[in-house]
Amino acid sequence: MLDLLVIRTPENVAFEFELASIGTRTVAWVIDVFVMAALIFAAAILASTVAVISEGIGSALLFVFIFLVQWWYGALLEWRWGGRTIGKRIVGLRVLGEDGLALTFPQAVIRNLVRVADLLPALYLVGGISVLVDRRARRLGDLAAGTIVVRERRTPRPAQILAAAERHNSFLADPDVRAAARRVSAPERDAMIALGLRRDRLPMAVRSELFERMAEHLGRRLGLVRPSHLTPEKFVLGLTAVVLGTEPMRGVR
């Protein structure tokens, strides 16, 4: 049975995340251990070559590299690679903030530094127990950093929210629509994109209700009248496509 976590945004849009099981997390960690071991082995070969010239420098380089791999492999990869390490990417896992947002650098550092406590007394015993008893399947590092580990579901890129054949019509070309799109706030934009990307994962009744409410909100706040030939979903998706194509990427990193 899937262990689902439901997060509701300030715009009252609910998203479901499938929490990663202890089994898949273990597989990901084992893969990462092999990757780290391979990196350290390669560094040892390099250090032995340097040691021919200077044994002290070779030893120092190996020590520094082992330190970097052990303490920064997870943190840097998760931060720069969307919450994934090599192991997590292979098994389809991803680390997110417990609010459902992307992992930040401080969160990535904290959850990996606290791994030392999770490993105690051996073989991840403390961390494993924590994952099993916590309702969000969090180890101590996740609790400290405010993160969760979820199964990653493949979603289309924002540019694919609306099919190419549907992006060019009188509604999208309307200058009033394009002007209104520039007044869409950052929270509204994020909610529109998230709803568009996740619509296929929503039950049809929930999907229809959310698009209806979003369309009513946007129409009322932006002063737009939804054309009769557009359903609430097509209206929101079309407006989202305009926002993505016209706004100067406010707050987007």
Side-chain angles (χ1 to χ4, degrees), residues 3-7 17-20 25 98 129-139 143 148-149:
D3 193 1
L4 298 179
L5 171 67
V6 179
I7 295 178
F17 297 94
E18 181 185 343
L19 294 173
R25 292 180 70 164
E98 58 186 6
I129 293 174
S130 178
V131 169
L132 290 174
V133 302
D134 184 74
R135 65 185 182 86
R136 292 189 172 187
R138 294 171 294 181
R139 61 176 177 84
L143 291 169
I148 55 175
V149 182

Side-chain angles (χ1 to χ4, degrees), residues 36 57 63 196 223:
M36 289 188 288
I57 294 177
F63 176 81

